[in-house]
Structures are given as structure tokens and as C-alpha cells.
Amino acid sequence: MINDQDILATLEMLKVEHLDVRTVTLGISLFDCASDDPDRFMARIREKILGLAAPLVQVCAEVGEKYGIPVVNKRIAVSPLAVAGAPFSAPGFVRIAEALDRTAREVGVDFIGGFSALVEKGFSRGDRALIESLPEALSRTERLCASVNVASTRAGINMDAVYLMGRTIKAAAAASAGADGIACAKLCVFANIPQDIPFMAGAYLGVGEPDAVINIGVSGPGVVKRAIDRARAVEPSLDLGRLSELIKRTAFKVTRAGELIGREVAERLGVPFGVVDLSLAPTPDVGDSVGEIFQSLGLQAIGVPGSTALLALLNDAVKKGGAFASSYVGGLSGAFIPVSEDSNIAEAARSGLLSLEKLEAMTSVCSVGLDMVAVPGDVSAETLAAIIADEMAIGVVNKKTTAARLIPVPGKRAGEKAFFGGLLGEATIMPVNGANGDPTFIRLGGRIPAPTQSLVN
């Protein structure tokens, strides 16, 4: 039964707390565009994307206006290009990247993802060519996003791929040195990547997905923070169990609103509705920060002792409320803690309260992982690969998704700032403890075996 308080709370979420749908992502399969002729392949891709996505931005605007809930980002995710474009060489993939970028601009979406490879157990020729093309492809395009899955709980960690991604990230940073290595901000390395992520840079449409589908990413860190602040103002003695219940109820409302928008967009476009991703995703705006929730719950800042336990509480409560609100939940579904896209987290990194090591510890209880972390430009490829390997191990052993989006900022040192602009924001460059040490471990290569699924402890 909906009471007056529920209605008033929902109106306040809309008018005061900036409730929005963070992203509507149209997934499009490109497997039926396959060809060994690059010109024919690109022409088929353009024709299919235009056919399905041309009305996407307009439809999102109309549905958002109808319900008073804006859709912040409109995006496209396509089949992993390393599979769909397997016959092509690295220069061919660069041409495909530019074609995708032009098409994304043509339909007006913010980003297009799916320039992806899945190499947790080994490389195909297409995988190697796509990864080889990444530095040039990402530095020559604006809206293209890429991801590479290098590990899974069933396959283990492909350390050859991890080392290759360390070298690729260095090359991508060098190729976009004039923009603080922004090409790396569009490249994510994953373990256990889901096939239906609506958020970038990891979004792609997996092989088990429909020909076209709408996936929704809800958000609402500002809504959660305001709910906590209001409740604690009325009753300061609220304990963590009751606050968890409050977050759960708030996540329920946010998810319901997101699914309403997503289902209507899908219906108007004539494609099936996929999933709601329950992730709490921040923006650089004050009042829309995951980090501020930590302060509302009594910590000095994200990164101080207690942060990992609090993040576990937050993540769990959001999932429980969202799972009750929707039967189709997928993607990452957790709390994002990107350093550059959240002004509060960026400030914690600047003041030294949040270290790279603490961030890594916190990723064991939240989704994504080391997200939008700027590091000094002189950090070696081997050190970057070692950081990636650590993050992949957390995901593989704990049977969850983790990722690393690392940005070695050319010519800058720890403590300086990197500027990416827009939603990507700015970040203080974080020091890397023990950087550029002995590279022997990473150079050993091979594959770290999958962990045993019994003897859990």
C-alpha cells in the first residue's frame, strides 16, 4: 500500500535529489554483419546501427520528459569486435573503430562500447589484432570504449594477457599524452565480465544476448545520501541495521523508477527489455557522490578505517532493495568508486586519506574495481600489469566481477592533477607503492590456474 509519505518522498527524489536514470544502453548484435571485406563489414555495421539506434536519443528524451526523470546518458553496446571482426588486422580494426565512432556521433549517443576481446583462456588472431590496435583506435576516436576480459573464476588468470594489457595501457597513454592519457579512460581490463553491462567502458553485447536489447543503469547516490541524512536528523540513534533497511527501501524506489523508463523506451523502439543494473554510479557534481554517503554514515572520508565494512553494507542493501524491485537484474550491480568521476572520492585521494591499497581492499566488496585511477606517467608496464593481476585475483577467487581502469598520466607525478573533462572529471594522481621494482613475476607469463571451488575459506 502506497501512503502519503511514499508519494512525497518520490516527489522529493525527482525535484530536489536529482533522481535520474544514469544510462539507457541499446545492445546491438553485429554477428550478422560479418564479412572478410572491411568496407562491406563497416557498411553493414553502419546500416544496422542506424536502423535500430536512430530514434534512441529522441525516445529517451520523450520518455524522460513524460515521467520527469531525465536519462543522463544514451549509449550503444555491440558484439565483441574481436569476434565479429576476427579476420581483420590491427590497421583494419583502427578503421572499424573510426567507423563506429562516426556512427555513434551520427545517432547522437554519448559512447559506443564493444570494442572488446575475451581472452581469459587464450588469444585468437582477432583478439591479438584488436588489442594491438587499441592505442591508435582509442586515441583517434572520441566516443569509442573498449574492454578486455583477461580472467575468470573458471579459467583462471591469463598472465600473458595481463602483461600485454600493461604494455597496451602504456602505449595508449603515450598516444593521447596531450590529453593526460585520456585513451586509457576508455579502456577497462576485466575479470568475470558480464554480458549485459549498460555502463562504460565495459559495455558490450554478449553472444547469449538477443539481436537487440535495452539495458538500464540506475543510479541515485544523491537520493541514498539524502534519505540517510533525513533519517538521522529525525532519529540520531539509528543503528546500522536500521540504516541498511532504509537504504534497501530507497534502492527499491530508485530501481522501480529506472525499470519504468527502460521498459517504455524498449517498447517504443520495438526491442526487448533486458536488465536493470543496480550500480550506484556517481558524477563529479556535489550532492551526487558515493563518497558523501560514507560521511553521512559517520566516517571522516572514504578511505579511512571502516570504509570497507561500510561499503559492504551499502552494496548489499542496494542489491537487496533492487532485486526485490525488479525480476531482471544484471550487469555489475554494486557501488562504483571511481576516483575521477566522484568529486568526494577525488578529494579523499588528494588529501591522502584514500590510498591505492585501500581502494584495492574495498574492491573486494563492491562492483567494478580500480576505476578511473590516475597514476604517475613513469609507472612501468610491468607495474601496471602487476596492479591488474592483483585486481583480477580478487575477482577470480571471490567469483565476482572486478576491473582495472588505470591511467598513467604522461609527464605528471603523484600529487598533480589530471583533467579529462565532462563526466570523466578530474583526478589527483595517486602514488604507487613499490612501483617499477623487479619485473620478473610479470614476465614469467603463463596462466594462473582457476581456484578450487570447494575448500572455501
Side-chain angles (χ1 to χ4, degrees):
M1 176 70 75
I2 298 174
N3 57 39
D4 292 346
Q5 278 192 330
D6 287 333
I7 295 172
L8 289 172
T10 303
L11 288 173
E12 192 162 359
M13 285 162 58
L14 296 174
K15 291 187 175 179
V16 181
E17 298 164 1
H18 311 298
L19 173 65
D20 54 43
V21 171
R22 187 50 46 86
T23 182
V24 169
T25 301
L26 173 60
I28 301 175
S29 172
L30 298 184
F31 292 133
D32 56 353
C33 301
S35 170
D36 58 358
D37 181 315
D39 292 325
R40 189 177 302 133
F41 183 56
M42 287 186 287
R44 288 175 177 175
I45 287 176
R46 180 176 178 275
E47 182 182 359
K48 183 159 189 183
I49 292 177
L50 288 180
L52 287 163
L56 175 64
V57 172
Q58 179 63 29
V59 166
C60 287
E62 290 172 1
V63 175
E65 187 174 350
K66 175 181 176 182
Y67 293 103
I69 304 174
V71 176
V72 178
N73 299 297
K74 283 72 69 176
R75 297 166 172 175
I76 295 171
V78 299
S79 309
L81 260 299
V83 180
F88 303 121
S89 62
F93 274 112
V94 173
R95 288 185 61 200
I96 293 168
E98 292 175 319
L100 286 169
D101 196 57
R102 285 194 300 273
T103 307
R105 189 186 301 272
E106 204 168 340
V107 296
V109 296
D110 307 287
F111 288 111
I112 183 166
F115 204 72
S116 306
L118 311 173
V119 297
E120 60 270 21
K121 214 167 179 179
F123 298 93
S124 68
R125 193 179 73 169
D127 296 327
R128 287 195 180 278
L130 181 137
I131 294 173
E132 186 183 341
S133 76
L134 283 172
E136 192 173 353
L138 292 174
S139 60
R140 291 173 62 167
T141 56
E142 180 190 1
R143 307 183 187 207
L144 184 76
C145 289
S147 59
V148 179
N149 193 70
V150 299
S152 73
T153 298
R154 287 189 176 276
I157 306 174
N158 182 347
M159 291 298 291
D160 293 325
V162 168
Y163 188 17
L164 177 58
M165 290 313 299
R167 301 195 301 272
T168 301
I169 290 170
K170 283 288 285 186
S176 54
D180 282 347
I182 196 170
C184 303
K186 300 184 290 171
L187 171 60
C188 213
V189 185
F190 274 93
N192 293 324
I193 187 171
Q195 301 189 34
D196 52 7
I197 311 173
F199 289 103
M200 296 298 172
Y204 80 105
L205 188 71
V207 294
E209 297 287 309
D211 190 58
V213 65
I214 285 288
N215 293 322
I216 299 296
V218 298
S219 182
V223 177
V224 172
K225 178 190 181 302
R226 295 288 187 93
I228 295 169
D229 290 344
R230 275 198 306 272
R232 294 196 72 206
V234 174
E235 190 176 351
S237 62
L238 275 177
D239 66 17
L240 291 170
R242 294 172 66 191
L243 286 165
S244 172
E245 178 67 18
L246 174 72
I247 296 168
K248 195 169 72 176
R249 292 168 64 89
T250 305
F252 174 87
K253 296 173 188 171
V254 170
T255 305
R256 279 290 207 211
E259 181 161 338
L260 176 70
I261 299 291
R263 284 193 178 277
E264 181 147 346
V265 170
E267 185 179 346
R268 292 194 186 197
L269 290 176
V271 302
F273 176 75
V275 299
V276 181
D277 185 313
L278 303 175
S279 296
L280 280 182
T283 70
D285 298 336
V286 174
D288 200 23
S289 158
V290 172
E292 290 176 5
I293 297 174
F294 285 68
Q295 294 171 328
S296 291
L297 287 170
L299 290 182
Q300 177 188 356
I302 186 172
V304 303
S307 297
T308 307
L310 199 158
L311 184 58
L313 178 154
L314 178 64
N315 222 31
D316 181 66
V318 168
K319 287 181 183 178
K320 284 174 176 170
F324 188 58
S326 175
S327 296
Y328 298 103
V329 173
L332 296 165
S333 292
F336 285 75
I337 47 172
V339 176
S340 81
E341 297 173 8
D342 184 310
S343 58
N344 186 278
I345 297 177
E347 173 58 25
R350 188 201 64 76
S351 66
L353 291 172
L354 178 63
S355 67
L356 186 61
E357 291 74 20
K358 186 62 176 177
L359 261 181
E360 182 185 306
M362 293 170 69
T363 63
S364 64
V365 299
C366 78
S367 65
V368 189
L370 295 172
D371 195 17
M372 290 297 288
V373 177
V375 298
D378 63 356
V379 168
S380 68
E382 287 78 7
T383 298
L384 292 171
I387 296 171
I388 294 169
D390 286 343
E391 193 58 40
M392 299 302 104
I394 290 172
V396 166
V397 172
N398 291 292
K399 305 173 191 169
K400 67 188 291 297
T401 302
T402 54
R405 192 157 46 147
L406 305 173
I407 308 162
V409 184
K412 292 192 175 180
R413 297 174 296 179
E416 295 186 74
K417 279 200 169 184
F419 301 91
F420 307 116
L423 182 64
L424 300 177
E426 59 186 52
T428 299
I429 297 169
M430 302 179 77
V432 179
N433 188 27
N436 304 339
D438 188 343
T440 302
F441 164 67
I442 286 299
R443 290 178 180 175
L444 289 175
R447 181 153 58 97
I448 293 179
T452 181
Q453 300 294 299
S454 59
L455 303 174
V456 177
N457 217 328

